[in-house]
Amino acid sequence: MANPALREVLDSPDPRVWTFLGDSVTAASWHTWGSRGFSELVEERLREQGRSRDAVINTAVSGWQITDLEPELEALCLRFAPDAVVIGFGLNDTRGGADGVQAFGRVYREVIRRIRETTDAVVVVMTPNGTLPTAPAHVVDHLPAYVEEVRAVAADTSAVLVDHYAEWQQAEEGSWFHWLGHGCHPNAYGHRAMARTVMRALGIWDPESRSGRLMIP
């Protein structure tokens, strides 16, 4: 069951705008080898449901942290007057270590405040995906703390939470080792798994749909 505010967006007869913000995972470059990223799969699912007039805009930037987004929020999000904003940060932010968690959460909350101050958008926040031990040391050491902070941001702001990290941790042991093209970057299979999680949160998941039948090992 989708969040009521999301349900309003999905049920609207008018065309809606969806904006995806984040880092290289949301940008879905390089490690997908040309395959669709999760935002593109979500867009396809929206089209399958007849929402062909909706605009799905992905302005994620590889290497970015939440502090990079804040000064660029107008250019990457607000100017599009979105009806739904999906945000995915946390991996690169772990460079701040344990001491950076509080600042990460503070800026994240400020970004959400500004989105709501300027638009009527439904805000969706995502935890990062799971990673391998071969991921950069700052990710391996600090990602759980940043995941917890994303969850706290969602709870404090009443944003919709998409918990990729929990989904990956609960997956069959070893299965998501096939979902990564790098220590922390999802490949085509990983993006399909992430799309499935997002679709479930939006209330549009259907395993019998064309987008839902894509193979995930």
Side-chain angles (χ1 to χ4, degrees):
M1 180 67 69
N3 172 278
L6 278 172
R7 194 70 262 162
E8 287 186 21
V9 176
L10 290 162
D11 290 343
S12 172
D14 300 320
R16 295 305 186 195
V17 176
W18 304 72
T19 303
F20 283 75
L21 309 170
D23 52 29
S24 57
V25 174
T26 303
S29 58
W30 191 253
H31 294 283
T32 57
W33 291 95
S35 295
R36 289 177 174 179
F38 71 83
S39 72
E40 294 169 298
L41 293 170
V42 170
E43 179 179 12
E44 180 60 24
R45 181 65 189 133
L46 292 172
R47 290 180 179 278
E48 288 173 352
Q49 293 205 307
R51 301 204 61 84
S52 58
R53 295 188 299 151
D54 282 14
V56 177
I57 303 167
N58 187 338
T59 53
V61 182
S62 181
W64 268 23
Q65 302 177 35
I66 193 72
T67 50
D68 296 303
L69 171 65
E70 187 191 14
E72 297 292 338
L73 193 61
E74 171 64 33
L76 272 62
C77 177
L78 302 181
R79 68 187 174 107
F80 302 117
D83 299 286
V85 178
V86 184
I87 310 173
F89 282 95
L91 283 175
N92 296 311
D93 305 86
T94 59
R95 292 192 181 100
D99 294 338
V101 174
Q102 185 175 4
F104 167 74
R106 183 177 66 252
V107 176
Y108 213 136
R109 289 171 176 84
E110 174 62 14
V111 165
I112 293 173
R113 186 196 66 78
R114 287 180 57 198
I115 291 171
R116 288 177 169 161
E117 180 180 69
T118 310
T119 76
D120 293 324
V122 181
V123 177
V124 180
V125 301
M126 304 184 297
T127 61
N129 52 276
T131 66
L132 297 175
T134 54
H138 59 84
V139 174
V140 174
D141 293 342
H142 302 294
L143 185 57
Y146 283 80
V147 167
E148 285 301 322
E149 186 63 17
V150 173
R151 292 169 179 159
V153 167
D156 292 346
T157 63
S158 299
V160 178
L161 176 66
V162 177
D163 202 338
H164 293 296
Y165 191 83
E167 287 285 333
W168 285 48
Q169 296 302 311
Q170 293 166 13
E172 184 177 345
E173 185 175 0
S175 65
W176 53 267
F177 280 71
H178 301 289
W179 299 355
L180 291 161
H182 176 263
C184 59
H185 288 95
N187 57 23
Y189 296 134
H191 276 275
R192 292 174 186 179
M194 295 181 78
R196 177 179 60 189
T197 305
V198 175
M199 290 179 199
R200 284 174 174 166
L202 299 183
I204 59 175
W205 168 250
D206 180 359
E208 299 304 316
S209 66
R210 286 179 179 267
S211 54
R213 289 183 300 189
L214 292 171
M215 193 269 286
I216 304 175

